[in-house]
Amino acid sequence: METNPHVTLIMFSFNQEEFIEESVRSAFAQDYSNLQIIISDDTSSDETFAIIERLAEDYKGSHQIKINRNEHNLGVGRHFAFIMEELADGELIVACGGDDISHSNRVSRIVEEWLEHGKPALVAHALEEINEQGEVFEGGRTIQYRYQDHSLLSNPTLALQDYLKNQMPVRYLGAAIAYRRDTYLRFGTPLAFPDFEDHVMFFRALLSEGAHYFPEVLVQYRRHQNSFMAAPSKRKIVKPGEIFAPLLHKGETVRPNFVNDYRLHQLATQQWLDLRAAIQQGLTAVDYQIVEELWAMLIARQKFLLGNQGITLKSLFRRFRNFILGTSNTNVRKRIELNYVEPLKVVLYGAGQAGRNALSRLSPGFQVEAICDSNSELHGTRVEGIQVISPQTLKELSEDIDSVLISSVFYYEIKSALMDKLGISEDKIVRLPHKVITLRK
């Protein structure tokens, strides 16, 4: 059994000259042997990086030390992506901030739990909160960890559903988690670059190899007036990712009092991209409730930003043209256009009344490419403008779609036929909720 995998401890720093030395020394004091330590500074304007340089130069231990100072400020999202793709090389990544203090056995205990529980995508542990003077106090995160239901992690689908309903505060803070580097690489660069790397990795973990929590305090999480969570209104917004080109045109900005709303929209966008990637890679099956919840969140957040003029637009005409005009892949509804993300491509099984009901109520997170039915008399006809195809044609299309949605009360019979006769993967077959196929509009 593997006992000593290569681990990277990453420390983010930015204008933390008061706390950085204690944080760096706690990283250097780790008792785990096969350890790379990366301290990456996001262009601090104070003495933070000078302190890092001095401590790194004086270090005489056995850990591999790598320090970095970005040429210009990247912001949390891009800084995280740069570290993961250009600097870190460990199999497991242990994260911390430049103001937090890790216990000397933190990495060792994380590795023990990670190996014991089958190398899940993410490992989280307990923390204690300290103030600027280093005094322990019982704050909101301490109380959260005491009362939140950690047992949900045993069922990733339930954990995902619960998380999407109650995303804030994040279940497990970045200062008290570790994650597999290959989990990050499997999903790729977070193109929306949200400033919530802990949210990103927790969500990716639930979509892949799951997460594990153990209630041992291994880090002191510092709360102070300049910490990330303390003063969100003071944080500047960096250049948005290319994915938001249709949302933020050249020269347009986000109003200061809407910065947090924009960041939450970045997060929701990234979660959709990751969900879609996980489905297409076969890491997770389509769950109608999760798709409906996440797509509705995307629409709501975009409408809020646009409707409240959180985004300053040069042209009201362009705003109208790009965002307010409704489109519909089923020609039976109008919807806000999210033209920087793609819905899931699906085939709806059932051209009868249940199928028509589904078309009128289906979440726009699904793009219906065709309707399949076993009744040969319907093949080649159209329902609400969508072509009805045969089961054989569905078989030919199965590799190009994300899911087959069953709009019939005969779900099990249809599922059996799709799997046994057409060879369609069980993960691609989704049962639509009863209300979707029985309620008429």
Side-chain angles (χ1 to χ4, degrees):
M1 178 181 176
E2 185 180 13
T3 59
N4 195 40
H6 184 48
V7 177
T8 296
L9 186 151
I10 60 175
M11 179 180 291
F12 303 87
S13 68
F14 180 68
N15 288 347
Q16 294 161 319
E17 61 182 0
E18 297 176 66
F19 314 114
I20 190 66
E21 181 161 350
E22 191 172 12
S23 296
V24 171
R25 290 192 183 279
S26 75
F28 288 172
Q30 292 299 303
D31 62 12
Y32 188 75
S33 60
N34 192 7
L35 182 64
Q36 175 194 45
I37 297 175
I38 294 173
I39 307 168
S40 187
D41 183 74
D42 201 14
T43 324
S44 292
S45 58
D46 61 8
E47 293 301 305
T48 297
F49 191 68
I51 296 171
I52 294 170
E53 285 186 306
R54 171 174 58 81
L55 294 172
E57 184 176 345
D58 293 343
Y59 178 71
K60 306 301 181 185
S62 60
H63 300 319
Q64 305 168 38
I65 309 299
K66 182 184 292 187
I67 64 173
N68 168 70
R69 187 176 192 269
N70 298 330
E71 293 183 4
H72 58 274
N73 184 269
L74 297 178
V76 176
R78 281 184 170 79
H79 193 189
F80 173 63
F82 175 75
I83 292 173
M84 295 296 288
E85 296 171 24
E86 302 296 335
L87 302 178
D89 60 20
E91 184 180 357
L92 184 67
I93 309 296
V94 178
C96 63
D99 47 6
D100 304 321
I101 304 171
S102 294
H103 293 195
S104 61
N105 66 334
R106 183 183 175 211
V107 174
S108 295
R109 283 292 298 120
I110 288 173
V111 170
E112 289 173 0
E113 291 284 331
W114 184 58
L115 294 175
E116 182 181 340
H117 289 85
K119 294 186 176 181
L122 183 143
V123 175
H125 57 77
L127 54 80
E128 62 182 2
E129 295 170 89
I130 58 174
N131 59 21
E132 293 189 39
Q133 291 73 42
E135 301 166 334
V136 177
F137 72 98
E138 187 173 276
R141 302 292 75 75
T142 306
I143 296 171
Q144 172 196 341
Y145 274 47
R146 181 187 306 152
Y147 289 108
Q148 74 181 6
D149 187 359
H150 303 287
S151 68
L152 283 173
L153 296 180
S154 63
N155 188 322
T157 298
L158 290 180
L160 267 174
Q161 292 172 351
D162 179 73
Y163 168 71
L164 290 176
K165 290 177 182 176
N166 306 285
Q167 291 197 35
M168 295 295 177
V170 64
R171 293 297 186 274
Y172 301 102
L173 285 166
I177 61 175
Y179 28 81
R180 285 169 47 164
R181 183 165 170 264
D182 65 351
T183 298
Y184 174 89
L185 296 175
R186 175 180 290 167
F187 287 88
T189 304
L191 297 179
F193 295 108
D195 283 349
F196 305 100
E197 87 290 344
D198 41 14
H199 279 275
V200 171
M201 293 310 299
F202 180 62
F203 192 72
R204 289 181 171 188
L206 294 181
L207 291 172
S208 54
E209 288 84 11
H212 167 67
Y213 170 78
F214 62 105
E216 183 176 343
V217 174
L218 293 172
V219 71
Q220 291 184 314
Y221 173 64
R222 196 183 299 271
R223 306 292 295 273
H224 54 92
Q225 62 179 359
N226 293 320
S227 63
F228 183 81
M229 295 303 295
S233 62
K234 296 180 181 179
R235 301 196 302 273
K236 71 176 184 178
I237 190 158
V238 297
K239 179 184 176 183
E242 291 299 320
I243 189 174
F244 290 112
L247 185 60
L248 280 175
H249 293 273
K250 185 177 181 181
E252 295 168 352
T253 61
V254 175
R255 297 181 188 275
N257 55 324
F258 286 92
V259 165
N260 285 341
D261 299 292
Y262 173 72
R263 284 192 165 109
L264 290 173
H265 188 64
Q266 283 181 296
L267 178 61
T269 300
Q270 188 58 52
Q271 289 169 340
W272 177 263
L273 294 174
D274 287 343
L275 175 64
R276 191 168 180 270
I279 291 170
Q280 293 179 340
Q281 292 180 40
L283 297 175
T284 189
V286 172
D287 182 280
Y288 184 87
Q289 182 178 332
I290 291 173
V291 171
E292 183 179 50
E293 182 83 23
L294 192 48
W295 193 269
M297 188 185 307
L298 277 172
I299 292 176
R301 293 202 183 283
Q302 176 167 295
K303 286 179 67 176
F304 178 81
L305 284 171
L306 296 171
N308 290 276
Q309 297 185 355
I311 297 172
T312 60
L313 299 171
K314 289 183 176 179
S315 168
L316 289 177
F317 171 75
R318 183 170 61 209
R319 172 183 174 184
F320 179 79
R321 179 193 66 198
N322 287 344
F323 307 114
I324 303 304
L325 282 177
T327 61
S328 174
N329 58 4
T330 63
N331 295 324
V332 295
R333 76 171 72 80
K334 296 280 188 178
R335 63 181 172 87
I336 296 296
E337 184 180 2
L338 294 172
N339 52 4
Y340 44 91
V341 293
E342 295 184 20
L344 297 176
K345 294 181 179 181
V346 302
V347 168
L348 187 67
Y349 196 102
Q353 187 59 53
R356 294 174 185 273
N357 294 341
L359 283 175
S360 68
R361 292 187 172 276
L362 198 62
S363 165
F366 297 103
Q367 177 175 303
V368 179
E369 300 289 306
I371 300 172
C372 182
D373 200 281
S374 59
N375 185 348
S376 60
E377 295 182 2
L378 298 177
H379 299 164
T381 63
R382 291 183 176 270
V383 175
E384 301 292 350
I386 301 174
Q387 186 175 16
V388 180
I389 62 174
S390 67
Q392 182 58 39
T393 304
L394 171 59
K395 180 180 180 180
E396 297 168 1
L397 290 175
S398 62
E399 295 301 317
D400 299 321
I401 60 173
D402 299 309
S403 181
V404 179
L405 307 182
I406 308 300
S407 56
S408 171
V409 294
F410 301 106
Y411 167 74
Y412 293 106
E413 294 91 329
I414 294 172
K415 178 180 179 178
S416 175
L418 292 178
M419 292 176 61
D420 298 341
K421 297 180 180 180
L422 302 182
I424 294 177
S425 169
E426 183 176 11
D427 288 344
K428 281 196 172 185
I429 303 172
V430 177
R431 184 179 192 176
L432 287 175
H434 187 67
K435 66 177 182 180
V436 174
I437 66 174
T438 59
L439 292 178
R440 305 190 189 193
K441 278 198 172 182

